[in-house]
């Protein structure tokens, strides 16, 4: 337990250092800045990383969001997003315990802070991106195949605050003062969906959310 708490503190410290570095880079390039605002839609392929593992498959969802990008004219940008995330996973039939296929859905509010390194090739802007995010789980539901969805009742062992890292790449296409941004990004949660150590539970169980997101965004440049 002490080791888990120590690792959690180290991860939070790492996220803080990355955020501080992003802020310093942001302030140092302010004289060349261009400002964008936009909306995005993401198709997600969601699952969990579990220990011990179990048979599962990805749950496909759609998630909307809004964003703001602060861009250096030459090579660097920062992007802050506000996303309404739909995610979860599908637990397949377990013939040993005789449990049916069950879909677990999660809705959450997430705030990613991203950095982007890019080059400009005419109207095109290929880039790589990476950063950190925090979130809060708003709601959960459980649905056994063939039955109605049931609202999940949170208990003292559930963890609703989330944090993790994310990264990927994309392509921006500039048309006048608009930019269309297509991106692939992977999210990994360091936080657990439930406390991995629950008294009288028969052993520790670690479950972290994962997401592979394909998104399209439409941005408008505020500065000339």
């Amino acid at each position: 337990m002490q080791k888990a708490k120590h690792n959690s503190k180290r991860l939070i410290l790492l996220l803080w250092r990355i955020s501080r570095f992003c802020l310093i880079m942001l302030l140092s390039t302010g004289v060349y800045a261009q400002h964008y605002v936009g909306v995005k839609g993401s198709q997600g392929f969601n699952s969990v990383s579990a220990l011990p593992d179990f048979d599962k498959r990805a749950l496909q969802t759609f998630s909307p969001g809004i964003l703001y990008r602060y861009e250096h004219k030459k090579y660097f940008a920062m992007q802050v997003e506000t996303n309404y995330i739909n995610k979860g996973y599908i637990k397949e039939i377990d013939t040993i315990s005789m449990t049916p296929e069950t879909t677990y859905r999660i809705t959450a509010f997430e705030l990613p802070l991203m950095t982007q390194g890019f080059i400009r090739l005419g109207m095109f802007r290929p880039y790589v991106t990476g950063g950190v995010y925090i979130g809060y789980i708003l709601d959960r539901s459980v649905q056994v195949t063939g039955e109605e969805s049931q609202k999940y009742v949170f208990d003292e062992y559930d963890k609703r605050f989330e944090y993790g890292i994310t990264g990927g790449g994309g392509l921006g296409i500039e048309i006048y003062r608009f930019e269309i941004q297509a991106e692939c990004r992977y999210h990994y949660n360091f936080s657990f969906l439930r406390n991995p150590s629950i008294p009288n539970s028969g052993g520790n169980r670690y479950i972290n959310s994962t997401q592979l997101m394909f998104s399209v965004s439409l941005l408008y440049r505020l500065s000339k």
Side-chain angles (χ1 to χ4, degrees), residues 18-209:
I18 294 173
S19 300
R20 185 174 61 182
F21 171 77
C22 294
L23 181 60
I24 292 172
M25 292 295 292
L26 175 67
L27 295 175
S28 66
T29 58
V31 67
Y32 302 104
Q34 291 185 336
H35 306 269
Y36 293 76
V37 293
V39 295
K40 67 180 295 185
S42 301
Q43 180 69 31
F45 295 84
N46 311 276
S47 189
V48 289
S49 174
L51 184 69
D53 204 0
F54 55 86
D55 292 332
K56 57 188 179 298
R57 66 175 189 272
L59 175 67
Q60 296 186 36
T61 61
F62 176 81
S63 300
I66 59 176
L67 56 91
Y68 163 76
R69 193 170 85 240
Y70 185 99
E71 181 182 297
H72 187 285
K73 287 185 179 180
K74 294 182 179 180
Y75 59 87
F76 173 81
M78 285 192 64
Q79 188 162 294
V80 181
E81 303 173 7
T82 301
N83 298 325
Y84 182 81
I85 297 294
N86 296 294
K87 58 183 180 179
Y89 60 99
I90 300 173
K91 185 176 181 180
E92 296 187 328
I93 296 172
D94 189 331
T95 55
I96 297 177
S97 61
M98 299 300 292
T99 54
E101 180 178 277
T102 306
T103 301
Y104 297 84
R105 297 182 183 275
I106 301 168
T107 58
F109 177 76
E110 286 185 1
L111 290 170
L113 174 61
M114 310 295 298
T115 60
Q116 293 180 358
F118 65 87
I119 58 174
R120 288 202 175 274
L121 303 173
M123 63 185 295
F124 299 101
R125 187 181 66 90
Y127 65 88
V128 293
T129 186
V132 298
Y133 66 91
I134 59 173
Y136 184 79
I137 294 177
L138 302 171
D139 195 20
R140 291 174 62 176
S141 65
V142 180
Q143 183 175 18
V144 176
T145 300
E147 299 181 9
E148 293 185 358
S149 178
Q150 301 294 320
K151 187 177 180 64
Y152 182 87
V153 179
F154 292 93
D155 63 29
E156 60 182 307
Y157 299 110
D158 288 308
K159 294 183 174 292
R160 302 181 73 167
F161 174 74
E162 300 184 300
Y163 58 93
I165 58 174
T166 179
L171 176 67
I173 303 175
E174 190 174 39
I175 305 173
Y176 183 51
R177 296 181 68 168
F178 292 91
E179 180 174 302
I180 300 172
Q181 184 173 288
E183 183 179 278
C184 175
R185 188 188 297 177
Y186 182 77
H187 297 240
Y188 184 85
N189 254 5
F190 286 123
S191 53
F192 303 117
L193 290 176
R194 282 177 64 81
N195 190 328
S197 179
I198 300 176
N200 303 317
S201 63
N204 295 352
R205 188 163 199 172
Y206 302 87
I207 302 180
N208 310 67
S209 295

